[in-house]
Amino acid sequence: MLTIKNIVEAPEEIIKKLAVKHFDAQEVISQVMALDLERKRAQQAKDTLLSEQKLRAKQIGDLMKKGEKEQAEALRLEVAQLKERSKEEEEKEKEVEFSLRELLLTIPNTPHESVPEGNGAEDNLCVKTGGELPNLKEGNKLPHWDLAQKYNLIDFELGVKITGAGFPVYKGKGARLQRALINFFLDKAIEAGFVEVEPPYVVNEDSGYGTGQLPDKEGQMYFAPADNLYLIPTAEVPVTNMYRDVILDEAELPIKNVAYSACFRREAGSYGKDVRGLNRLHQFNKVEIVCIDTPEHSYEMLQTMVDYVESLVIALGLPWRILRLCGGDISFTSALTFDFEVFSAAQERWLEVSSVSNFESFQANRLKCRYRKDKGTQLCHTLNGSALALPRIVATILENYQTPEGIVVPEVLRPYTGFDIIC
């Protein structure tokens, strides 16, 4: 959530920046500024009335000491009226504050100056590539859904029977490959200085608002109405909310957490080849990294996180590229996002496996996540990234490492799988 201070101090600049995200902010910024003036007027009126009450109370005390009870009683009536008026102004102030917050929740984060112009994914900027594209022979170029069936690794139909489409069942070496990747990602994160946490898989409404899933992505989350709880779309939500309503010491920063979780996304409206097999699921596994840092160092931390994710795809021996997302493709909450994609040899397409983002103070303002600085407090910056999401990593490993003898396991995973080949 943008701060009122930033909006009031530079409304035209905010409007210009949000235009990069294709968000016309002219009207909503005007409404915010008008409501802010109304809030200040109500607050000032309330404070004036409270000051008058204190003055009258002192006068009543003086009159009582002098024995002038009649005049004191008259002032008491005035005080009662002042109290009523101050309550009215307090209620007005609360109503305006509520309307102001509801309005602020509809405004996206402003993009970083390096975010390129663009309408959608086709306009994202490729900033780095690595790895060699596999050269699979035509007779040995099966997509992962066929490989999963051939080697009895994943049962998509059984998942449909148990739950529905998008909930596959991993079996045998398929399940062990999943577990190997999770443990590999967690171990590498711990080596890199991240502290592991294990969060809940359901969150309350406040947590959803804290990281920006609500009200922006409400329709994409599974909801348990009986308890007013949401299944998490990513571990980012519970892990970042660990720092909601927290004031940190500057010496504690940066905070670096890593968490494995299952993730749940409705993915309403998804269809076609993009959702076949593991390409898009309603339930999937992911290891997430979350950082809390100071504004001065958050972009350094973003680069550190990008470099770290790059090290993972290199270690797995997958061809990869990094994209800087354009204004039309970046999320509601992000200031700057880098997407990682790996190349699927059998599908002959790039698959997104990670997004690494800096939200600057946008989430922190919603969360009231601050740190002590110069005898006061300041909003933190929050960052997160997938390190990594498993389904498309599994899909790419199965496809890129297939041979006539079977699927070769990447060397770094063999200590975790206990086998070198799937055959």
Side-chain angles (χ1 to χ4, degrees), residues 140-422:
N140 193 47
K141 202 173 183 179
L142 294 177
H144 68 270
W145 49 85
D146 287 342
L147 292 166
Q149 184 177 26
K150 179 179 179 180
Y151 295 107
N152 196 26
L153 304 175
I154 307 166
D155 195 326
F156 295 101
E157 292 305 315
L158 185 56
V160 171
K161 172 187 171 182
I162 297 168
T163 308
F167 295 89
V169 176
Y170 298 85
K171 301 165 73 174
K173 288 185 176 180
R176 287 169 69 182
L177 179 61
Q178 281 267 324
R179 182 155 49 88
L181 282 163
I182 293 165
N183 288 334
F184 171 67
F185 292 151
L186 287 172
D187 285 352
K188 296 303 287 184
I190 292 164
E191 285 176 22
F194 291 87
V195 176
E196 185 179 359
V197 295
E198 187 175 345
Y201 289 2
V202 291
V203 293
N204 57 31
E205 202 171 68
D206 286 343
S207 294
Y209 276 100
T211 44
Q213 275 66 35
L214 298 175
D216 183 49
K217 295 181 178 66
E218 191 165 9
Q220 290 298 317
M221 291 196 291
Y222 286 101
F223 180 52
D227 301 300
N228 198 31
L229 295 173
Y230 294 85
L231 275 68
I232 62 169
T234 165
E236 166 205 344
V237 182
V239 176
T240 311
N241 270 278
M242 288 165 51
Y243 305 98
R244 175 156 46 93
D245 298 321
V246 171
I247 298 177
L248 300 159
D249 289 325
E250 189 171 6
E252 295 179 75
L253 302 175
I255 288 171
K256 298 168 64 178
N257 287 139
V258 62
Y260 155 75
S261 78
C263 304
F264 305 88
R265 298 183 187 179
R266 292 186 62 238
E267 300 288 4
S270 296
Y271 60 91
K273 66 175 183 178
D274 291 345
V275 304
R276 188 157 186 196
L278 297 173
N279 287 345
R280 195 174 295 275
L281 302 175
H282 295 304
Q283 178 184 322
F284 60 94
N285 296 314
K286 182 152 71 86
V287 173
E288 188 83 358
I289 50 175
V290 172
C291 294
I292 314 289
D293 210 339
T294 63
E296 294 81 9
H297 298 132
S298 71
Y299 278 95
E300 252 179 72
M301 178 57 72
L302 179 65
Q303 188 58 52
T304 298
M305 294 166 72
V306 168
D307 292 344
Y308 171 69
V309 175
E310 181 183 319
S311 74
L312 296 179
V313 289
I314 289 172
L316 291 171
L318 301 174
W320 54 273
R321 68 181 185 182
I322 304 174
L323 306 176
R324 184 188 296 140
L325 298 197
C326 71
D329 201 32
I330 196 171
S331 75
F332 182 90
T333 52
S334 177
L336 179 61
T337 295
F338 291 97
D339 270 7
F340 278 78
E341 295 182 337
V342 293
F343 189 75
S344 159
Q347 297 180 66
E348 296 183 338
R349 56 193 290 255
W350 291 94
L351 302 175
E352 181 199 328
V353 294
S354 175
S355 282
V356 185
S357 302
N358 189 346
F359 303 96
E360 296 186 354
S361 62
F362 190 81
Q363 288 182 331
N365 189 34
R366 290 172 172 237
L367 294 160
K368 295 184 175 62
C369 175
R370 296 178 172 270
Y371 70 101
R372 293 181 183 87
K373 183 179 177 68
D374 301 330
K375 297 182 180 179
T377 62
Q378 188 170 331
L379 288 170
C380 297
H381 278 195
T382 64
L383 308 93
N384 70 49
S386 313
L388 288 161
L390 270 70
R392 293 172 186 171
I393 289 289
V394 170
T396 311
I397 287 173
L398 296 181
E399 292 177 2
N400 292 14
Y401 280 93
Q402 61 182 300
T403 70
E405 292 75 35
I407 299 163
V408 177
V409 175
E411 191 173 343
V412 291
L413 295 180
R414 293 173 192 172
Y416 296 91
T417 58
F419 51 83
D420 298 350
I421 191 167
I422 298 170

Side-chain angles (χ1 to χ4, degrees), residues 3-14 33 36 40:
T3 64
I4 295 172
K5 183 175 183 288
N6 288 343
I7 291 173
V8 171
E9 286 180 353
E12 293 306 318
E13 184 182 344
I14 298 290
M33 294 176 72
D36 186 51
K40 286 176 180 175

